[in-house]
């Protein structure tokens, strides 16, 4: 039964509804719940179905394929590979795009499947991940797409705080508004969706500085962990403990804290930085670097601290030890730990 990740359905549903409400209060009517951290786990279908969500997003088309039974919009978040356009047209209602050759391939495939495919065109406002650079001459690009019969430009979007760590503010989001105005005026069209980023944009809630034109956000971490991601602050009124992780103790011994002999690199090619604290109680848990980056786990018991580990072992120091072999240790986790643990076949998933 272990290692085990526990997902609290009720707390997650509360967070979804509360973030939808907060977004409406900030004049953002349209939210896509980003579910990529669940690695396509179908248990989330019943959770999503019991909320008022109208849209979910994932970066892998394989996951959207598994979510076909959901009666709401399915958005592909990662720019499609040319080799997957067939599935994109089949399983995504809308995709984020930045490359003409891909959009042309989507158009041809949409024609073959007798569909009109919606896209958001991504603009890079300076964070330097995907998108047309905001200072570039993008109108000819838009003009070419407008001539494609089976592609509908539903809107434009941006992604912030992902690669370059660019924090959204009024000035940066207004770059997107200027792009909207230039495209709408240049071609006499109306863009339905102006997508102002991810959970880092939640930082701007309740400050009255989000431009009124921004009407959509794509939110993962803020819903899952109840925090904005520009400054990693917890948001009041949301649950911060939707996820817990548990692993089992397979060894418990009092041993020295410092290796005995000449030290070289460990199994991951690092020279271990080990402090000599004399004799300590050491617990070994059956979880390792194959499943999660160990530093992303935080033991709830403050007497426990992480010393390190290897592919399949996690070593903890236990002060005032009260544990024995077979006991379970519970951890809080962060977003990267959730991504890795959900993706590990060795970790059981319990949606409670
Ligand atoms: C992952 C992702 C998001 C969600 O990011 P969070 O910080 O978890 O809210 C939004 N948009 C795109 C394109 C993404 O890849």
């Amino acid at each position: 039964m272990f290692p085990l990740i526990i997902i609290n359905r009720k707390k997650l549903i509360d967070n979804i509804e509360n973030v939808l409400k907060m977004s409406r209060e900030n004049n953002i009517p349209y939210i896509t719940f980003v579910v990529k951290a669940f690695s396509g786990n179908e248990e989330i279908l019943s959770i999503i179905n019991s909320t008022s969500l109208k849209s979910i997003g994932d970066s892998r088309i394989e996951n959207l394929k598994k979510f076909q039974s959901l009666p709401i919009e399915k958005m592909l978040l990662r720019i499609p590979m040319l080799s997957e356009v067939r599935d994109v047209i089949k399983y995504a209602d809308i995709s984020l795009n930045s490359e003409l050759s891909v959009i042309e391939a989507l158009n041809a495939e949409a024609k073959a499947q007798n569909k009109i495919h919606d896209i958001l065109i991504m603009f890079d406002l300076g964070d330097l991940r995907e998108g047309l650079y905001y200072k570039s001459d993008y109108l000819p690009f838009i003009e070419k797409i407008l001539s494609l019969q089976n592609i509908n430009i539903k809107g434009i979007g941006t992604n912030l705080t992902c690669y370059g760590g660019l924090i959204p503010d009024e000035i940066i989001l207004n770059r997107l508004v200027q792009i909207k105005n230039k495209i709408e005026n240049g071609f006499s069209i109306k863009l339905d969706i102006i997508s102002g980023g991810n959970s880092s944009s939640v930082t701007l809630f309740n400050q009255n500085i989000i431009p009124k034109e921004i009407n959509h956000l794509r939110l993962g971490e803020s819903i899952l962990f109840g925090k904005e991601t520009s400054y990693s602050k917890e948001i009041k009124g949301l649950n911060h403990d939707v996820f817990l992780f548990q692993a089992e103790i397979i060894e418990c011994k009092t041993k020295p804290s410092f290796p005995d002999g000449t030290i070289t690199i460990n199994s991951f090619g690092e020279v271990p930085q080990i402090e000599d604290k004399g004799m300590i109680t050491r617990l070994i848990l059956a979880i390792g670097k194959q499943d999660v980056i160990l530093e992303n786990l935080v033991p709830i018991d403050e007497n426990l601290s992480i010393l390190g580990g290897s592919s399949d072992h996690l070593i903890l120091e236990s002060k005032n030890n009260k544990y024995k072999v077979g006991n379970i240790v519970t951890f809080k986790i962060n977003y990267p730990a959730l991504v890795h643990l959900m993706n590990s076949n060795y970790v059981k998933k319990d949606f409670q």
Side-chain angles (χ1 to χ4, degrees):
M1 269 277 298
F2 298 95
L4 175 71
I5 181 164
I6 301 170
I7 300 104
N8 186 310
R9 285 174 188 269
K10 189 182 172 305
K11 288 183 178 178
L12 179 53
I13 291 170
D14 281 354
N15 277 9
I16 293 170
E17 294 298 356
N18 282 326
V19 169
L20 289 175
K21 183 161 164 277
M22 285 174 194
S23 304
R24 282 195 302 271
E25 287 164 0
N26 283 275
N27 294 317
I28 297 172
Y30 176 28
I31 294 297
T32 294
F33 176 31
V34 173
V35 298
K36 63 193 181 198
F38 290 101
S39 286
N41 194 305
E42 280 150 271
E43 290 277 341
I44 65 165
L45 294 176
S46 61
I47 293 177
I48 291 164
N49 268 325
S50 64
T51 67
S52 54
L53 280 166
K54 300 274 190 299
S55 171
I56 59 159
D58 203 300
S59 24
R60 314 278 172 146
I61 197 66
E62 295 92 327
N63 294 345
L64 291 184
K65 184 176 174 182
K66 289 194 197 164
F67 301 152
Q68 282 310 293
S69 67
L70 276 180
I72 61 175
E73 177 185 85
K74 289 162 278 291
M75 180 181 280
L76 181 65
L77 297 170
R78 188 173 65 186
I79 310 301
M81 292 183 263
L82 270 174
S83 59
E84 68 182 359
V85 294
R86 207 159 153 242
D87 282 352
V88 175
I89 297 299
K90 230 169 161 176
Y91 303 117
D93 302 306
I94 180 166
S95 60
L96 311 188
N97 280 278
S98 64
E99 286 288 353
L100 189 59
S101 57
V102 175
I103 300 168
E104 284 170 345
L106 288 169
N107 180 57
E109 183 59 36
K111 189 172 263 169
Q113 293 187 31
N114 200 16
K115 283 184 169 176
I116 304 288
H117 184 70
D118 287 339
I119 62 170
L120 291 188
I121 298 173
M122 293 302 278
F123 284 88
D124 178 353
L125 306 183
D127 191 53
L128 304 179
R129 203 176 77 178
E130 75 272 44
L132 288 86
Y133 196 54
Y134 75 104
K135 286 181 179 165
S136 68
D137 180 20
Y138 46 80
L139 290 180
F141 180 95
I142 303 291
E143 190 170 16
K144 286 203 188 93
I145 298 169
L146 285 170
S147 73
L148 302 174
Q149 302 264 307
N150 294 65
I151 294 291
N152 175 40
I153 305 179
K154 187 95 174 155
I156 56 175
T158 192
N159 203 45
L160 298 161
T161 338
C162 259
Y163 169 74
L166 200 70
I167 288 176
D169 59 22
E170 213 173 349
I171 296 168
I172 289 187
L173 287 179
N174 266 311
R175 291 177 185 164
L176 193 63
V177 174
Q178 279 163 22
I179 294 167
K180 165 194 149 74
N181 292 336
K182 231 166 125 177
I183 294 175
E184 289 190 339
N185 297 335
F187 301 104
S188 299
I189 57 170
K190 173 93 181 63
L191 300 172
D192 289 343
I193 301 177
I194 311 298
S195 184
N198 53 43
S199 293
S200 64
S201 293
V202 172
T203 309
L204 306 178
F205 277 11
N206 304 328
Q207 297 182 43
N208 261 326
I209 56 173
I210 301 177
K212 63 177 192 318
E213 290 84 355
I214 305 283
N215 58 10
H216 175 248
L217 294 175
R218 310 171 310 270
L219 302 180
E221 189 164 353
S222 51
I223 293 176
L224 301 172
F225 288 87
K227 54 185 211 181
E228 55 78 32
T229 56
S230 286
Y231 304 99
S232 218
K233 278 216 195 75
E234 291 190 343
I235 303 166
K236 260 195 228 116
L238 298 182
N239 298 307
H240 315 296
D241 55 353
V242 172
F243 306 96
L244 288 174
F245 175 67
Q246 296 187 319
E248 182 170 337
I249 298 171
I250 54 174
E251 187 184 291
C252 169
K253 291 196 188 306
T254 301
K255 292 199 264 187
S257 47
F258 201 71
D260 190 0
T262 312
I263 295 176
T264 179
I265 54 172
N266 64 19
S267 58
F268 274 71
E270 303 143 351
V271 179
Q273 302 294 318
I274 299 174
E275 194 190 334
D276 190 352
K277 297 186 266 191
M279 296 295 277
I280 56 173
T281 303
R282 309 171 68 93
L283 308 177
I284 299 181
L285 276 59
I287 182 76
K289 296 184 190 179
Q290 265 197 79
D291 312 290
V292 68
I293 295 170
L294 303 176
E295 289 70 24
N296 290 330
L297 304 174
V298 178
I300 289 182
D301 182 347
E302 287 177 357
N303 282 310
L304 299 177
S305 51
I306 292 178
L307 294 173
S310 52
S311 299
D312 306 292
H313 300 80
L314 167 62
I315 310 170
L316 301 183
E317 174 181 356
S318 175
K319 296 205 176 89
N320 313 316
N321 181 52
K322 56 178 202 282
Y323 294 92
K324 60 181 202 302
V325 168
N327 286 168
I328 304 304
V329 176
T330 302
F331 300 85
K332 289 193 277 192
I333 62 171
N334 61 12
Y335 189 89
L338 174 66
V339 170
H340 290 142
L341 292 167
M342 289 303 295
N343 211 26
S344 170
N345 284 329
Y346 302 105
V347 175
K348 282 79 183 168
K349 288 92 186 170
D350 184 8
F351 287 76
Q352 291 187 339

